[in-house]
């Protein structure tokens, strides 16, 4: 009886060990898991890491930033994208006829993928704004086709990649995102593939392509090469609660025949340090307001201090004047006459 219990306990321990190993293979993105990335991938512990938090102290308005021009993004429905569960995310391949203009180089599209949280905590965006997480985040990855022949050659180069990041929040049903989300059941498990009819990828982006954050950073997954020119759009897009729930619950990072399937959740990297760097922004609102507000507060404080000093000086002078006054007793006329009798 005792030996049976020992065998069962050992089996349970082995199960937990396998599950822990699967979690690592499933791309453990917990804070503790991320802390070990640099042991195998040194760049993950280096500089220019992403994602970051966008807050007023690091934002700088840049007049040279232009609205992005997206070429070839409207793909015919007779062509098909390939949607894949790669065990870390759901990824859709893009066509080399798609590229971005109005960047330092021409960048050609290669794939898009998503990052998200879980059903209990739908805060899965990688980038944050003033500490605020969004429900999810879409990345459209491009490589520098002016200098490099393909994504493989460009990935580890300092000017190799350009990524468009779209923040996603909960709102009304989004038919454009449904063109991808409706295929999740066909890529439920790792290594499964589905075909998605072509559509205009620009539909996945916000309407205002001229308002964005721009900075130099890194891949948000190992090997974390600092090779990405990030463009994070200021305005989020919306998907419905039901669509977000499908993203958070439909996918697994294990294969279909696995006896212990593991949900694909929380596949986002946490915020990285951003010391001694600035983020360029293409919009004035917010950044200028903070500067103006600081200036106004500064003027008010200066006026208040000046008023206090003048008041203090006035009170001091009044006390000094009072000390100089000599008070003499007053004599009543009747008293004066009496003194003469």
């Amino acid at each position: 009886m005792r030996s049976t219990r020992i065998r069962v306990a050992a089996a349970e321990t082995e199960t937990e060990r396998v599950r822990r190993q699967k979690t690592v293979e499933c791309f453990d993105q917990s804070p503790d898991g991320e802390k070990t990335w640099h042991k195998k991938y040194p760049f993950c512990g280096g500089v220019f890491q992403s994602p970051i938090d966008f807050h007023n102290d690091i934002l700088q308005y840049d007049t040279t930033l232009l609205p992005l021009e997206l070429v070839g993004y409207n793909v015919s429905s007779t062509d098909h994208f390939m949607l894949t569960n790669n065990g870390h995310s759901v990824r859709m391949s893009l066509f080399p006829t798609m590229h971005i203009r109005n960047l330092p180089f021409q960048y050609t599209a290669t794939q898009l993928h998503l990052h998200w949280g879980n059903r209990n905590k739908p805060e899965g965006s990688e980038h944050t704004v003033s500490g605020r997480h969004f429900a999810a985040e879409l990345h459209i990855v491009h490589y520098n086709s002016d200098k490099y022949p393909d994504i493989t050659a460009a990935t580890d180069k300092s000017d190799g990649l350009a990524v468009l990041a779209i923040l996603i929040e909960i709102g009304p049903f989004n038919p454009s995102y449904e063109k991808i989300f409706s295929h999740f059941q066909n890529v439920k498990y790792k290594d499964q593939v589905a075909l998605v009819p072509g559509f205009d990828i620009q539909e996945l982006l916000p309407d205002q392509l001229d308002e964005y954050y721009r900075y130099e950073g890194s891949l948000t997954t190992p090997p974390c090469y600092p090779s990405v020119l990030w463009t994070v759009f200021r305005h989020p897009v919306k998907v419905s609660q039901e669509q977000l729930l499908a993203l958070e619950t439909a996918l697994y990072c294990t294969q279909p025949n696995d006896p212990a399937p593991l949900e694909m959740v929380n596949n986002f990297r946490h915020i990285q340090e951003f010391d001694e760097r600035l983020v360029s922004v293409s919009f004035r609102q917010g950044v200028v307001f903070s500067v103006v507000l600081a200036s106004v507060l500064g003027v008010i404080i200066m006026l208040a201090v000046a008023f206090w000093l003048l008041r203090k000086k006035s009170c001091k002078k009044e006390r000094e004047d009072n000390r100089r006054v000599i008070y003499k007793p007053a004599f009543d006329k009747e008293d004066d006459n009496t003194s003469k009798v």
Side-chain angles (χ1 to χ4, degrees):
M1 187 74 172
R2 183 179 178 184
S3 61
T4 302
R5 288 176 180 170
I6 290 172
R7 283 198 297 272
V8 170
E12 289 173 348
T13 303
E14 179 63 16
T15 300
E16 288 302 314
R17 187 192 68 76
V18 171
R19 188 170 182 82
R20 281 196 301 270
Q21 181 61 32
K22 283 180 185 175
T23 302
V24 172
E25 291 174 356
C26 206
F27 209 55
D28 181 8
Q29 300 217 357
S30 67
D32 288 339
E34 290 178 20
K35 290 175 183 176
T36 65
W37 286 2
H38 70 279
K39 294 179 180 178
K40 188 174 180 181
Y41 305 99
F43 284 104
C44 295
V47 296
F48 292 95
Q49 290 297 291
S50 298
I52 63 169
D53 176 58
F54 301 118
H55 53 278
N56 282 335
D57 291 345
I58 64 170
L59 303 184
Q60 176 177 266
Y61 176 60
D62 187 343
T63 58
T64 67
L65 295 179
L66 301 172
L68 296 183
E69 185 180 348
L70 308 176
V71 180
Y73 263 51
N74 193 358
V75 176
S76 170
S77 59
T78 57
D79 294 321
H80 289 79
F81 303 112
M82 185 178 290
L83 189 69
T84 307
N85 179 333
N86 64 4
H88 303 157
S89 180
V90 59
R91 167 178 157 172
M92 193 170 82
S93 61
L94 300 175
F95 290 102
T97 50
M98 300 170 55
H99 56 267
I100 310 173
R101 289 180 182 157
N102 286 344
L103 289 176
F105 302 96
Q106 177 170 294
Y107 288 85
T108 296
T110 178
Q111 53 102 342
L112 62 78
H113 62 269
L114 290 139
H115 298 271
W116 61 91
N118 64 73
R119 75 191 83 185
N120 298 318
K121 193 174 182 181
E123 297 178 355
S125 70
E126 296 207 299
H127 292 89
T128 59
V129 179
S130 298
R132 177 198 171 193
H133 270 280
F134 292 79
E137 186 167 330
L138 174 72
H139 292 164
I140 306 179
V141 182
H142 305 70
Y143 73 92
N144 183 343
S145 51
D146 277 348
K147 294 184 67 174
Y148 308 106
D150 53 40
I151 182 70
T152 303
T155 298
D156 63 348
K157 307 302 188 298
S158 61
D159 58 357
L161 304 178
V163 177
L164 305 182
I166 298 94
L167 302 169
I168 300 171
E169 63 183 9
I170 298 172
F173 177 83
N174 191 316
S176 298
Y177 275 76
E178 191 64 16
K179 293 173 183 178
I180 298 174
F181 288 13
S182 62
H183 296 274
F184 284 167
Q185 291 302 317
N186 299 323
V187 292
K188 195 174 184 71
Y189 298 101
K190 184 180 179 182
D191 298 330
Q192 290 185 330
V193 177
L195 294 179
V196 177
F199 64 97
D200 189 353
I201 297 297
Q202 188 166 335
E203 294 175 5
L204 303 174
L205 277 61
D207 293 332
Q208 293 175 269
L209 300 182
D210 59 337
E211 295 192 7
Y212 54 82
Y213 307 91
R214 169 72 51 75
Y215 78 101
E216 294 180 355
S218 74
L219 300 174
T220 60
T221 57
C224 307
Y225 293 133
S227 57
V228 181
L229 181 64
W230 282 96
T231 301
V232 182
F233 291 104
R234 180 189 184 196
H235 299 284
V237 300
K238 293 179 172 61
V239 301
S240 70
Q241 180 72 62
E242 292 74 20
Q243 287 178 301
L244 181 64
L245 188 62
L247 178 63
E248 294 166 343
T249 60
L251 303 167
Y252 291 81
C253 48
T254 45
Q255 295 182 325
N257 57 354
D258 198 302
L262 200 62
E263 282 189 314
M264 188 186 295
V265 293
N266 301 327
N267 64 345
F268 61 94
R269 190 184 191 187
H270 291 75
I271 294 301
Q272 303 297 298
E273 293 182 5
F274 199 71
D275 297 332
E276 299 179 3
R277 285 189 284 167
L278 290 175
V279 174
S280 298
V281 295
S282 64
F283 53 90
R284 286 182 179 274
Q285 185 181 348
V287 179
V288 173
F289 175 75
S290 63
V291 174
V292 170
L293 181 61
S295 300
V296 170
L297 288 174
V299 170
I300 292 172
I301 291 170
M302 289 176 65
L303 288 173
V305 170
F307 178 78
W308 178 78
L309 289 172
L310 287 172
R311 183 69 183 268
K312 185 177 180 182
K313 187 177 180 180
S314 176
C315 291
K316 183 179 179 181
K317 186 175 184 301
E318 186 176 337
R319 286 196 299 271
E320 289 175 350
D321 290 344
N322 287 340
R323 282 197 294 269
R324 293 191 189 101
V325 174
I326 299 173
Y327 294 94
K328 296 182 179 181
F331 293 100
D332 186 302
K333 196 176 279 187
E334 184 179 341
D335 291 340
D336 188 50
N337 292 334
T338 302
S339 63
K340 292 179 182 178
V341 175

